[in-house]
């Protein structure tokens, strides 16, 4: 039986149930509210000096790309007239145009197809999709939506096969008002059914895909096919916070097991072929508010208060007044062995607890793993994890606890272009009893508070981060920050009321990603360069379609080129006035800082991915 009756008549959703509605729009709102109480007016005067110096240099040289003026030598001759020429830019596709409509657009000569949609079968035997009769059992076998990560693991493992692989895709959150008929909200069993299906629809999917006759399709009956959800997937906790007293609940007195993952945003694929799911806005799934409780400060820092979803009304563990430690068990990176569908996903607490966006991995020159991850909220931070042990590419199993041992660092962006990585280690620099950190588990559970004590730089919402394995550079997407004022701008976050975002480029000495020092530069300041009042910074040759707003996720293609997709959310009219999409961005030579538009999504959609097969297609 369906959990609710079909009724296409217009009904009014009861006021108390509006918590179900319009999460997508309110997501922007919740990201608008900083929970970092420690936004100091750090660099004010120094920054003003640096900006003035750079602006003066820019005027003298008469070029638009401020990023060129950082710590690398200027090109001898700036042949800007060549920089956006398809023949010389390194990008040969024909650019498409900005616009606002209800379909997608791709550069001429390329095709865009739908591979899999919400409700399509993931697991063999999944029932046919019927949105009017959706059930938990069906959703647990079907594809979810609001996909905010795409990873590819070529098959067989270890190959560079560009025509067969596993697609690993996150299902970030649900929009109940679009997902269910309004009649579903009428009864209490109906509302509980909505919550349960929402939980089943959070998480991710592993889908085997193959290209035949130039067309990608899903492989039916795949032994790898898997749905991972907030409803039904048992997970193990590992690392410094596993078994910690603050992780124990009535369902899990040992603090080592948890059901589910939720709000999974951009993630990553490890060099040993596992899928990293990043838990982002976990706070909004919990109801209740703690007063006078030891976790009160912690939950206030992460915005765990009052919910956004009704899950806690029907599932005790999502009500912090009834299960006060449950919210400590979310906000982690989850490692899934996509090649072993029977494996138990593991929440890796050595990577810190925050609103993770991205888990980009690179094998460092010394053989260790370096993993970059952003904390996507206004005035939060950029992190990297450096493993203690070396990656073993010959033996997958040898890496099974690699993410449990290592050091988590947070970035400080100094006004002079220096980059400092500060370690989050218990007992060091105030991360001790005097500040309520009794062990490394405490430091990881409250990574944000630890980071603020270290004096890291509060950023304009760090989203995707990607190291370029060919050049050694690292690209950081800072999407926007409406909350920044003139009083707390700094050189890396240089605009007040920042609606448009910016892209940073990081360089470490000898391309050593484990280094604790380096340099940073602005690659570009997003937004329309034709509006001087917003102070966007692009290569002067960027075309009328080559600029974008709100860089979100990014990828480096096999030729080492940077691709950036955007997510303006409901603020698109103010940020750019045009739909989101995918741009190629030059990072080298005279064209550095030039964008070129490749793909555009329907207005209101978020462009996610991107992801390349090993042949760059
Ligand atoms: Fe899921 Fe920060 O976007
Ligand atoms: Ca994002
Ligand atoms: Ca995204």
């Amino acid at each position: 039986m369906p959990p609710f009756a079909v009724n296409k008549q217009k009904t009014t959703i009861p006021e108390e149930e509006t918590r179900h509605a319009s999460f997508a729009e309110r997501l922007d709102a919740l990201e608008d509210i900083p929970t970092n109480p420690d936004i100091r007016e750090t660099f004010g005067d120094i920054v003003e000096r640096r900006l003035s110096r750079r602006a003066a240099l820019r005027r003298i040289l008469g070029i638009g790309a401020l990023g060129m003026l950082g710590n690398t030598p200027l090109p001898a001759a700036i042949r800007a007239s060549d920089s956006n020429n398809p023949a010389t830019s390194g990008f040969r596709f024909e650019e498409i145009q900005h616009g606002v409509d209800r379909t997608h657009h791709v550069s001429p000569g390329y095709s865009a197809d739908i591979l899999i949609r919400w409700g399509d079968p993931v697991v063999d035997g999944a029932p046919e999709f019927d949105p009017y009769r959706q059930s938990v059992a069906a959703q647990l076998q079907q594809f979810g939506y609001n996909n905010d990560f795409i990873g590819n693991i070529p098959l067989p493992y270890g190959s560079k096969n560009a025509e067969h692989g596993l697609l690993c895709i996150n299902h970030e959150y649900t929009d109940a008002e679009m997902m269910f008929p309004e009649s579903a909200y009428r009864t209490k069993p109906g509302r509980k059914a909505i919550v349960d299906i929402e939980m089943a629809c959070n998480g991710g999917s592993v889908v085997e895909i193959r290209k035949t006759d130039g067309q990608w399709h899903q492989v039916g009956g795949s032994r790898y096919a898997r749905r991972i959800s907030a409803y039904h997937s048992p997970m193990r906790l590992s690392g410094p916070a596993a078994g910690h007293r603050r992780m124990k609940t009535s369902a899990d007195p040992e603090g080592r097991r948890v059901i589910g993952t939720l709000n999974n945003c951009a993630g990553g694929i490890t060099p040993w072929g596992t899928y990293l799911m990043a838990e982002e806005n976990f706070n909004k799934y919990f109801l209740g508010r703690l007063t006078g409780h030891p976790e009160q400060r912690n939950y206030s820092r992460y915005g765990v208060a009052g919910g956004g979803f009704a899950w806690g009304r029907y599932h005790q563990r999502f009500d912090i007044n009834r299960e006060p430690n449950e919210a400590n068990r979310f906000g982690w990176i989850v490692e899934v062995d996509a090649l072993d569908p029977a494996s138990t996903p593991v929440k890796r607490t050595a990577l810190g607890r925050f609103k993770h966006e991205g888990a980009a991995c690179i094998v460092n020159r010394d053989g260790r793993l370096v993993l970059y991850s952003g904390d996507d909220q206004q005035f939060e931070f950029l992190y990297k994890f450096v493993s203690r042990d070396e990656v073993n590419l010959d033996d997958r199993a040898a890496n099974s606890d690699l993410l449990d041992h290592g050091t988590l660092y947070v970035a400080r962006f100094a006004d002079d272009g220096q980059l400092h990585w500060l370690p989050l280690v218990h007992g060091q620099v105030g991360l001790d009893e005097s500040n309520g950190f009794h062990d490394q588990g405490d430091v990881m559970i409250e990574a944000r508070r630890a980071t603020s004590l270290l004096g890291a730089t509060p950023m304009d919402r760090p989203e995707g981060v990607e190291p370029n394995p060919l050049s050694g550079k690292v690209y950081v997407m800072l999407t926007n920050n409406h909350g920044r004022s003139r009083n707390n701008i700094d050189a890396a976050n240089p605009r007040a009321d920042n609606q448009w975002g910016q892209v940073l480029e990081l360089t470490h000495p000898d391309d050593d990603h484990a280094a604790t020092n380096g340099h940073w530069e602005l690659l570009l300041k997003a937004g329309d360069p034709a509006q001087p009042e917003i102070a966007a910074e692009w290569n002067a040759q960027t075309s009328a379609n080559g600029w974008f707003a709100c860089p979100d996720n990014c990828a480096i293609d096999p030729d080492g080129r940077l691709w950036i997709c955007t997510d303006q959310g409901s603020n698109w009219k103010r940020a750019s006035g045009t739909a989101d999409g995918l741009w190629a961005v030059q990072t080298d030579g005279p064209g550095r800082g030039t964008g070129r538009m490749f793909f555009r999504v329907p207005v209101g959609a978020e462009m996610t991915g991107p992801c390349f097969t090993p042949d760059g297609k």
Side-chain angles (χ1 to χ4, degrees):
M1 283 290 289
F4 39 76
V6 175
N7 185 338
K8 293 182 182 173
Q9 258 187 340
K10 264 287 184 200
T11 53
T12 307
I13 301 171
E15 187 63 31
E16 60 148 357
E17 290 307 322
T18 53
R19 282 180 188 285
H20 286 295
S22 303
F23 181 71
E25 287 196 357
R26 284 177 300 111
L27 188 66
D28 295 329
L30 68 91
E31 283 166 343
D32 284 353
I33 303 165
T35 53
N36 184 350
D38 195 26
I39 306 162
R40 293 169 298 258
E41 299 181 8
T42 36
F43 301 120
D45 294 342
I46 310 165
V47 168
E48 287 290 343
R49 278 203 302 278
R50 185 179 188 218
L51 290 176
S52 312
R53 178 179 63 86
R54 288 159 70 89
L57 273 169
R58 190 161 59 88
R59 279 196 303 275
I60 291 163
L61 292 162
I63 60 171
L66 188 56
M68 287 176 172
L69 299 177
N71 307 293
T72 49
L74 282 164
I78 298 171
R79 293 176 295 111
S81 57
D82 288 343
S83 64
N84 203 30
N85 179 338
T88 55
S89 76
F91 294 107
R92 287 177 291 280
F93 65 84
E94 187 180 325
E95 186 167 59
I96 63 166
Q97 295 188 340
H98 277 301
V100 174
D101 62 26
R102 62 176 70 190
T103 189
H104 62 234
H105 303 264
V106 66
S107 176
Y110 293 82
S111 63
D113 299 308
I114 294 168
L115 177 64
I116 187 166
R117 308 162 295 180
W118 175 40
D120 284 346
V122 171
V123 180
D124 224 23
E128 196 174 333
F129 182 49
D130 180 351
Y132 287 100
R133 290 170 181 272
Q134 186 59 309
S135 68
V136 169
Q139 185 62 69
L140 288 177
Q141 300 172 78
Q142 296 168 338
F143 201 65
Y145 64 98
N146 280 339
N147 311 305
D148 210 4
F149 172 69
I150 302 174
N152 176 43
I153 302 172
L155 291 175
Y157 167 72
S159 73
K160 288 197 179 294
N161 194 344
E163 305 207 325
H164 186 200
L166 296 180
L167 212 52
C168 301
I169 303 169
N170 284 350
H171 309 310
E172 186 175 17
Y173 62 92
T174 48
D175 301 276
E177 78 282 10
M178 291 195 284
M179 190 176 177
F180 301 103
E182 290 180 10
S183 57
Y185 297 84
R186 280 182 174 163
T187 65
K188 194 173 173 188
R191 293 196 293 271
K192 177 173 189 306
I194 285 176
V195 161
D196 290 354
I197 296 166
E198 286 184 310
M199 292 175 73
C201 201
N202 267 255
S205 292
V206 178
V207 178
E208 184 177 350
I209 55 167
R210 193 185 282 278
K211 197 178 189 182
T212 42
D213 299 329
Q215 190 87 17
W216 284 101
H217 60 88
Q218 184 183 358
V219 176
S222 168
R223 74 177 194 87
Y224 301 107
R226 183 172 188 179
R227 266 303 323 275
I228 293 155
S229 83
Y231 188 85
H232 80 314
S233 301
M235 307 201 166
R236 185 164 68 81
L237 291 153
S238 75
H244 198 278
R245 65 185 161 74
R246 299 170 69 183
M247 302 291 269
K248 295 178 179 175
T249 64
S250 48
D252 174 32
E254 299 295 314
R256 295 184 183 276
R257 317 258 333 156
V258 58
I259 300 290
T261 182
L262 48 77
N263 204 273
N264 306 92
C265 199
I269 301 290
T270 65
W272 54 94
T274 58
Y275 163 27
L276 300 175
M277 305 177 74
E279 296 180 333
E280 194 189 20
N281 296 301
F282 65 92
N283 55 315
K284 287 291 150 183
Y285 296 80
F286 293 89
L287 292 181
R289 189 180 294 271
L290 299 179
T291 358
H293 188 278
E295 296 295 354
Q296 185 179 346
R297 174 173 59 177
N298 165 23
Y299 287 173
S300 155
R301 185 72 174 78
Y302 288 89
V304 180
F309 288 94
W311 297 13
R313 208 173 291 163
Y314 309 105
H315 296 271
Q316 178 168 320
R317 68 188 179 113
F318 289 104
D319 179 344
I320 56 173
N321 290 107
R322 292 193 285 176
E323 197 62 81
N325 283 347
E326 187 72 11
N328 281 335
R329 292 140 63 85
F330 292 85
W332 304 102
I333 299 271
V334 186
E335 184 177 17
V336 177
D337 188 353
L339 292 161
D340 177 5
S343 61
T344 301
V346 186
K347 296 199 178 190
R348 302 288 184 187
T349 69
L351 305 179
R353 174 170 165 269
F354 46 90
K355 295 185 180 179
H356 280 281
E357 171 111 14
C361 297
I362 191 160
V363 180
N364 197 37
R365 48 188 299 164
D366 59 10
R368 291 184 292 168
L369 183 88
V370 178
L371 183 153
Y372 292 93
S373 190
D375 184 350
D376 182 9
Q377 190 166 350
Q378 294 181 3
F379 301 105
E380 294 300 338
F381 306 99
L382 176 70
Y383 296 81
K384 75 174 177 187
F385 171 82
V386 180
S387 69
R388 181 191 68 187
D389 302 322
E390 293 179 23
V391 176
N392 186 334
L393 292 175
D394 301 319
D395 177 9
R396 295 188 71 230
N399 306 300
S400 62
D401 66 353
L402 195 107
L403 296 177
D404 291 340
H405 306 287
T407 305
L408 184 67
Y409 296 87
V410 65
R412 179 195 288 154
F413 293 84
D415 60 286
D416 62 355
Q418 299 282 322
L419 170 67
H420 305 283
W421 290 101
L422 316 168
L424 279 80
V425 177
H426 178 252
Q428 295 184 6
V429 205
L431 305 186
D432 53 24
E433 310 279 338
S434 67
N435 284 304
F437 295 103
H438 304 291
D439 49 39
Q440 186 66 13
D442 281 333
V443 175
M444 294 295 100
I445 290 168
E446 290 189 80
R448 283 184 166 183
R449 191 165 67 82
T451 289
S452 290
L453 284 167
L454 295 179
T457 306
M459 308 298 287
D460 287 346
R461 291 188 54 203
E463 298 235 40
V465 189
E466 281 294 327
N468 183 333
L470 300 184
S471 71
K473 310 275 188 194
V474 182
Y475 294 92
V476 182
M477 308 297 114
L478 299 169
T479 203
N480 58 43
N481 185 348
H482 319 154
R484 198 172 285 279
S485 74
R486 282 190 59 77
N487 292 332
N488 55 26
I489 56 169
D490 58 55
N493 304 277
R495 284 183 286 185
D497 190 23
N498 180 5
Q499 308 285 326
W500 318 276
Q502 61 267 19
V503 176
L504 304 186
E505 181 185 73
L506 317 184
T507 307
H508 297 97
D510 301 322
D511 300 334
D512 176 8
H513 292 276
T516 53
N517 287 294
H519 290 91
W520 66 268
E521 290 188 46
L522 277 161
L523 175 65
L524 59 90
K525 284 158 67 185
D528 184 354
Q531 296 180 35
E533 66 278 13
I534 72 172
E537 297 273 1
W538 296 87
N539 188 298
Q541 292 304 302
T542 292
S543 80
N545 301 300
W547 63 272
F548 53 76
C550 304
D552 181 12
N553 301 122
C554 58
I556 307 291
D557 72 20
D559 293 324
R561 302 176 301 184
L562 177 64
W563 298 77
I564 294 176
C565 66
T566 63
D567 173 20
Q568 303 166 96
S570 55
N571 195 40
W572 64 270
K573 278 186 188 165
R574 188 168 172 208
S576 76
T578 182
D580 284 314
L582 175 65
W583 282 258
V585 177
Q586 293 185 64
T587 55
D588 297 302
R592 179 180 161 89
T594 309
R596 182 186 293 266
M597 189 177 191
F598 180 75
F599 189 76
R600 197 176 93 212
V601 294
V603 69
E606 171 181 351
M607 177 77 202
T608 195
C611 174
F612 289 93
T613 44
D615 60 357
K617 292 183 178 174

